[in-house]
Amino acid sequence: MSNNAMIINLAYIVATTLFILGLKLLSHPGTARRGNFVSAIGMFIAVVVTLIDQQIISYHWILFGFLLGGAYGAWKAKKVEMTQMPEMVSLFNGFGGLASLLLGWATVSGMNQLSMATTDELVFVTIFLTILIGGVTFSGSVIAWGKLSGKMSSKAFIFTGLRELSILHLLGFVAVGYLFATEPSNELWLYVAIGLALSFGVWATISIGGADMPVVIALLNSYSGVAACAAGLAVANTILIVTGLLVGASGLILTNIMCKAMNRSLMNVLLSGFAKPVEMG
Amino acid sequence: METIYLIFIVLLAAFLGFELIRKVPATLHTPLMSGSNAISGITLVGALVASGAENDTLTTVLGTAAVALASINVVGGYMVTDRMLGMFKKKQGK
């Protein structure tokens, strides 16, 4: 391990510790605000130290992207009304999912034919999962945002054949995943995978009523963590793996806690596209 | 051997995530969701490498877009969580 990589990995350990500490503090009322700050410091360390990565040659695009996204995020966060918080979180979460999708795509497009032929199939499976989960997170979050902000009807949108459509999607995932992993140089499978993921996110969310949306957002938040974890496996980055999974696992348990608090069953919300919903609305 | 290590990491991180927030009060559900959402913007770290590695145009464009989107998630996420928790404190003070 080169000196550079050593420094980066040590800093990643510090950042991960801060994330864990931050989450812990965030779950107690008295320390919650401090917890958020602690985890923000962790993120700052992780981002800054990544910039010394030897693979990074030029900084102007990074700076451009960061300033653009950071300014937009800050502006949105400042001006949002307190009552619109859940939909704001949903929208941010959707952007995070889309970022994972694009990262997965960039990883494939950054490989040349030669390295593609020698790369392990497992890497392409993780890239596929990144694109899949990132895509579902993005389109699902956008629908959740639309429902909460009143841009769409908040009623559960149910039609006959929804269950069959969902099952078809799942079968499609398996088939396209196999084709993509075995033949990654064929761009068609990549585009089909992106399309399928986006479309599944829409159908899975649109069939859930507005009252259940907070639970759905918590679940999609968990998904975006898993997407980051899959991206980490694809680009071999430990902090993405650990942190993504941390968010994924804590998001799932939070979804479950919220379900209980709202007297709903997690399975019912999860599988609403497959089963008849108990109540509409 | 590498794969075994990865499975270890995955398993431990998953359990840790479960244990960390097992007893969160209902009032903190939304801030916690928002706070962990900001953390999931860690994708930014991967995107930085994709954007700055001077690959072909498509990769750079995708990487830069990923950086921008992840930055929205990170910056917006932390700020929104902080605002939410700030309100929370004031309300409790009254």
Side-chain angles (χ1 to χ4, degrees):
Chain A
M1 204 185 280
S2 72
N3 249 346
N4 229 349
M6 194 72 190
I7 296 169
I8 292 179
N9 277 314
L10 282 175
Y12 279 176
I13 293 174
V14 175
T16 311
T17 313
L18 290 175
F19 288 145
I20 295 170
L21 216 67
L23 272 179
K24 177 94 195 148
L25 293 173
L26 252 177
S27 59
H28 297 285
T31 53
R33 203 169 184 184
R34 192 147 41 99
N36 188 49
F37 189 65
V38 166
S39 97
I41 292 174
M43 183 64 76
F44 181 76
I45 292 175
V47 168
V48 168
V49 83
T50 305
L51 294 174
I52 67 167
D53 190 302
Q54 279 166 340
Q55 285 182 59
I56 298 179
I57 306 160
S58 64
Y59 292 89
H60 49 278
W61 286 115
I62 292 178
L63 202 65
F64 173 72
F66 180 74
L67 288 180
L68 198 70
Y72 179 75
W75 173 67
K76 272 286 191 195
K78 274 263 177 264
K79 98 177 176 114
V80 63
E81 300 281 332
M82 272 300 155
T83 49
Q84 295 172 328
M85 281 303 176
E87 63 207 63
M88 194 75 255
V89 174
S90 178
L91 195 63
F92 285 154
N93 187 45
F95 288 139
L98 190 59
S100 289
L101 187 157
L102 293 177
L103 177 57
W105 188 355
T107 312
V108 190
S109 82
M111 292 178 179
N112 52 34
Q113 294 290 335
L114 193 72
S115 63
M116 250 183 200
T118 53
T119 306
D120 209 345
E121 267 172 24
L122 205 64
V123 172
F124 292 106
V125 173
T126 55
I127 293 176
F128 175 73
L129 287 176
T130 310
I131 290 172
L132 187 68
I133 306 170
V136 171
T137 306
F138 171 63
S139 58
S141 296
V142 168
I143 297 288
W145 167 73
K147 284 198 174 202
L148 280 177
S149 63
K151 290 193 167 53
M152 315 170 38
S153 158
S154 67
K155 279 213 173 77
F157 181 70
I158 313 265
F159 53 91
T160 43
L162 181 64
R163 186 191 311 202
E164 287 76 11
L165 188 72
S166 302
I167 293 172
L168 269 180
H169 271 91
L170 292 188
L171 293 176
F173 288 150
V174 177
V176 176
Y178 176 77
L179 290 167
F180 175 73
T182 48
E183 207 187 342
S185 52
N186 189 341
E187 282 176 5
L188 177 69
W189 306 132
L190 175 74
Y191 298 141
V192 174
I194 295 174
L196 265 182
L198 293 178
S199 129
F200 185 69
V202 170
W203 300 122
T205 319
I206 209 162
S207 58
I208 301 171
D212 279 338
M213 273 309 138
V215 178
V216 173
I217 296 171
L219 187 66
L220 288 168
N221 174 37
S222 163
Y223 285 176
S224 73
V226 179
C229 170
L233 290 168
V235 299
N237 187 319
T238 20
I239 196 171
L240 284 191
I241 301 172
V242 175
T243 312
L245 211 64
L246 209 57
V247 174
S250 64
L252 192 64
I253 202 83
L254 179 64
T255 312
N256 199 12
I257 295 173
M258 283 171 80
C259 272
K260 273 186 197 150
M262 292 168 72
N263 225 349
R264 304 281 288 156
S265 128
L266 177 61
M267 276 334 238
N268 188 15
V269 176
L270 261 177
L271 303 176
S272 61
F274 299 94
K276 269 192 190 150
V278 180
E279 54 181 310
M280 302 219 201
Chain B
M1 203 54 194
E2 278 261 299
T3 320
I4 292 290
Y5 280 134
L6 282 181
I7 295 172
F8 260 117
I9 294 176
V10 163
L11 200 73
L12 290 175
F15 269 108
L16 187 59
F18 277 124
E19 284 301 318
L20 268 178
I21 61 148
R22 228 166 28 137
K23 285 180 194 138
V24 55
T27 37
L28 279 179
H29 285 174
T30 313
L32 183 62
M33 185 165 80
S34 175
S36 64
N37 171 44
I39 299 178
S40 73
I42 189 73
T43 314
L44 178 57
V45 165
L48 289 177
V49 179
S51 156
E54 280 207 344
N55 278 304
D56 55 317
T57 317
L58 177 64
T59 309
T60 308
V61 169
L62 291 171
T64 308
V67 168
L69 289 162
S71 306
I72 298 178
N73 193 356
V74 169
V75 176
Y78 279 120
M79 285 179 65
V80 143
T81 313
D82 192 60
R83 259 190 77 186
M84 245 186 264
L85 291 168
M87 285 295 275
F88 189 68
K89 220 174 206 173
K90 262 179 230 155
K91 255 187 227 157
Q92 273 205 328
K94 281 172 199 169

